[in-house]
């Protein structure tokens, strides 16, 4: 059975019709068509149009979850009320399981068998290894000295020209990622970088062969990796029986670093459009202070992720019959939490469409169920603090010697920010301080 996520990734732009959820204590029946056009949940369509349609749906039907069906007949339960978000994050995976990525479904999967492709006890063990390696509970990773040195070594690639774009950001970040995950010797391995690019591009016919080559190369680096690398830390924590392969996790971490370049560019673009925030962030970068802390720059990165989340929609699948607001739904129901919609919902979030890093100074902001750049509960990203540290460190390296000047696209510093910011279209001009 295809999932909602699979349909969205196929580029579905569909009319949806609401299936009623009014009758309590019985299975959800079909209801009249709702005449809104919702475009492409997850990765397709126009997010602003989607947000408008969701607001219209909520205005018409109230805050209760809405069971929507695409024209092709696929259904998913959309959560419109923060009270339901709390439950979504709190439910155990035994009842509300992560929707497995498309890469996990077929026998020909070429991707590493990471947490997202695991179930049951194996998933719990992989989660434990990830948490012990990535250390999500503290803002500064125990190996921060090595990691920040990797960022400092690669940051000059960002400022080698007057214009900073996605190609340059990816080059610098991926080199640093190979240092952080595998060690210094991996930084210059452009052949490994090419194999990883092929795997990121999709399910090519040669994917198995490419993955095997990358895996062998990672294995070679891991044999000599220091204890302060991620693969070194994971190897020390892997079980002796070999059920958990730290090399596959290393591959997973390298691919996960793909989120950093785009987030970095969006953060710099937003700072360029807000001179006061840029000056404060540059002053923090110049002061240095405790290695890896950079609380103001971290707040800027968090705010960029609130406005432009890496994962705009979260999908879970029920493993048993569940009840939402008095209506029962069968096992296998896809539950969709439109995170991007909730994080920029002007009815619930103050200054929803404005860049306000100061909101993250409140210690409770990280627990605010409405804004979840890294999710909440058991599904929270275990690499959240490490990702923040690396992204903020790169931004600090840029700001120490340069001012962010003219940029494309041009942002209004006081008006509502655009619904999307394609990192491939961002150009930031750098001038010497």
């Amino acid at each position: 059975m295809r999932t909602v996520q699979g349909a969205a990734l196929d580029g579905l732009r569909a009319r949806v019709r609401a299936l009623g959820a009014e009758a309590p204590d019985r299975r959800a029946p079909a209801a009249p068509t709702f005449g809104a056009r919702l475009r492409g949940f997850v990765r397709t369509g126009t997010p602003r149009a989607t947000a408008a349609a969701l607001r219209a749906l909520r205005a018409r039907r109230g805050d209760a979850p809405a069971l929507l069906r695409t024209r092709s007949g696929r259904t998913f339960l959309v959560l419109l009320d923060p009270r339901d978000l709390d439950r979504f994050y709190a439910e155990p995976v035994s009842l509300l399981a992560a929707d497995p990525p498309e890469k996990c479904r077929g026998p020909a999967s070429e991707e590493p068998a990471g947490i997202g492709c695991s179930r049951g006890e194996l998933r719990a063990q992989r989660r434990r290894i990830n948490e012990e390696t990535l250390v999500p509970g503290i803002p500064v990773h125990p190996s921060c000295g090595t990691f920040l040195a990797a960022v400092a070594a690669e940051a000059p690639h960002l400022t080698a020209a007057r214009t900073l774009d996605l190609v340059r950001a990816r080059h610098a970040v991926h080199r640093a990622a190979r240092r952080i995950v595998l060690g210094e010797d991996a930084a210059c391995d452009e052949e490994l970088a090419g194999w990883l690019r092929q795997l990121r591009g999709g399910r090519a016919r040669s994917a198995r062969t490419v993955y095997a080559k990358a895996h062998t190369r990672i294995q070679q680096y891991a044999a000599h990796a220091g204890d302060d690398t991620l693969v070194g830390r994971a190897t020390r924590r892997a079980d002796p029986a070999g059920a958990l392969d730290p090399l596959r996790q290393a591959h997973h971490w390298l691919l996960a670093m793909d989120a950093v370049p785009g987030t970095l560019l969006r953060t710099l673009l937003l700072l360029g459009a807000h001179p006061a925030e840029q000056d404060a962030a540059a002053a923090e970068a110049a002061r240095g202070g405790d290695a890896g802390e950079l609380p103001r720059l971290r707040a800027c990165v968090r705010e960029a992720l609130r406005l432009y989340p890496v994962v705009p929609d979260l999908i879970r699948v029920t493993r048993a019959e569940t009840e939402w607001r008095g209506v029962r739904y069968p096992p296998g129901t896809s539950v969709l939490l439109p995170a991007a919609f909730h994080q920029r919902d002007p009815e619930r979030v103050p200054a929803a469409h404005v860049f306000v890093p100061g909101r993250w100074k409140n210690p409770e902001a990280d627990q605010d169920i409405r804004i979840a750049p890294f999710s909440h509960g058991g599904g929270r990203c275990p690499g959240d603090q490490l990702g923040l540290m690396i992204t903020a460190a790169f931004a600090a390296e840029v700001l120490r010697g340069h001012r962010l000047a003219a940029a494309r696209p041009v942002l209004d510093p006081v008006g509502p920010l655009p619904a999307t910011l394609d990192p491939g279209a961002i150009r930031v001009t750098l001038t010497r301080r």
Side-chain angles (χ1 to χ4, degrees):
M1 174 175 145
R2 293 292 306 281
T3 65
V4 177
Q5 189 177 37
L9 294 176
D10 285 340
L12 178 64
R13 293 174 176 238
R15 288 187 180 275
V16 299
R17 50 191 179 185
L19 302 180
E22 292 85 2
D25 212 18
R26 65 175 189 239
R27 296 188 185 278
T33 297
F34 175 69
R37 184 175 179 85
L38 300 181
R39 295 184 179 273
F41 281 110
V42 184
R43 293 186 186 176
T44 60
T46 306
R48 187 173 295 280
T50 299
L54 286 173
R55 285 195 294 272
L57 178 63
R58 188 168 62 188
R60 174 171 176 147
R61 297 171 51 83
D63 285 340
L67 188 64
L68 304 178
R69 185 172 65 193
T70 69
R71 187 167 52 187
S72 60
R74 301 182 180 95
T75 61
F76 49 98
L77 189 66
V78 183
L79 305 183
L80 302 172
D81 190 329
R83 288 175 295 177
D84 294 311
L85 310 192
D86 203 358
R87 176 182 172 186
F88 179 92
Y89 291 122
E91 289 283 17
V93 294
S94 58
L95 183 61
L96 199 59
D99 188 30
E102 188 73 28
K103 67 190 180 192
C104 306
R105 299 190 181 116
S109 172
E110 74 280 1
E111 292 290 347
I115 289 178
C117 301
S118 309
R119 291 292 178 264
E121 181 60 26
L122 183 59
R123 184 185 189 279
Q125 293 180 43
R126 285 191 171 126
R127 178 81 187 188
R128 176 181 59 80
I129 294 293
N130 267 270
E131 290 182 345
E132 291 180 357
T133 303
L134 303 175
V135 198
I138 59 175
V140 178
H141 194 277
S143 298
C144 71
T146 298
F147 295 170
L148 294 177
V151 170
E154 302 301 340
H157 292 289
L158 297 175
T159 57
R162 290 189 67 249
T163 301
L164 176 56
D165 58 14
L166 185 60
V167 172
R168 194 173 294 278
R170 280 176 173 166
H171 179 71
V173 170
H174 289 156
R175 281 178 60 94
R178 294 195 293 275
R179 288 176 184 261
I180 290 168
V181 177
L182 302 174
E184 294 291 318
D185 293 342
C188 298
D189 194 336
E190 293 302 323
E191 190 172 37
L192 174 59
W195 292 332
L196 293 174
R197 280 195 299 271
Q198 290 182 55
L199 292 175
R200 291 182 190 105
R203 298 175 63 87
R205 290 183 179 180
S206 60
R208 278 192 172 186
T209 301
V210 173
Y211 179 75
K213 291 179 180 178
H215 189 75
T216 300
R217 186 65 57 82
I218 289 171
Q219 189 174 34
Q220 293 169 355
Y221 287 122
H224 306 286
D227 291 347
D228 53 356
T229 63
L230 290 184
V231 73
R233 291 177 61 86
T235 299
R236 296 203 312 271
R237 289 161 173 77
D239 63 316
L244 301 176
D245 185 353
L247 303 186
R248 289 183 179 272
Q249 289 302 121
H251 189 137
H252 178 77
W253 294 324
L254 287 169
L255 294 175
M257 290 284 189
D258 279 357
V260 174
T263 301
L264 173 63
L265 276 181
R266 291 186 180 111
T267 302
L268 294 176
L269 181 71
L270 288 163
L271 286 172
H274 297 80
E277 291 289 351
Q278 180 182 169
D279 290 342
E284 178 183 75
R287 287 193 303 270
D290 293 335
E293 287 283 353
L294 299 172
R296 182 177 288 273
L297 267 169
R298 284 179 182 243
C300 293
V301 176
R302 284 178 181 268
E303 184 68 350
L305 286 168
R306 180 191 70 83
L307 291 162
Y308 305 104
V310 174
V311 182
D313 300 277
L314 303 176
I315 299 176
R316 303 286 187 267
V317 178
T318 60
R319 290 187 161 187
E321 182 176 272
T322 56
E323 182 177 307
W324 297 79
R325 303 290 185 95
V327 180
R328 289 182 290 167
Y329 298 92
T333 299
S334 294
V335 183
L336 188 147
L337 190 162
F341 165 72
H342 286 288
Q343 291 182 173
R344 296 186 67 165
D345 182 1
E347 296 179 19
R348 309 289 170 87
V349 178
H353 298 298
V354 182
F355 181 62
V356 186
R359 77 176 78 236
W360 295 99
K361 292 180 181 178
N362 183 349
E364 297 180 0
D366 189 56
Q367 303 303 318
D368 190 333
I369 210 72
R370 301 165 301 175
I371 49 179
F374 299 101
S375 188
H376 288 291
R380 187 182 179 103
C381 173
D384 58 350
Q385 294 296 339
L386 180 57
L388 282 173
M389 187 182 82
I390 292 171
T391 309
F394 267 116
E397 291 289 340
V398 173
L399 290 170
R400 282 191 186 105
H402 298 81
R403 171 168 287 281
L404 310 174
R408 298 201 313 268
V410 177
L411 302 181
D412 185 343
V414 294
L417 290 166
T420 61
L421 276 180
D422 176 12
I426 293 176
R427 303 290 186 274
V428 178
T429 301
L430 308 176
T431 61
R432 287 282 182 185
R433 286 191 179 273

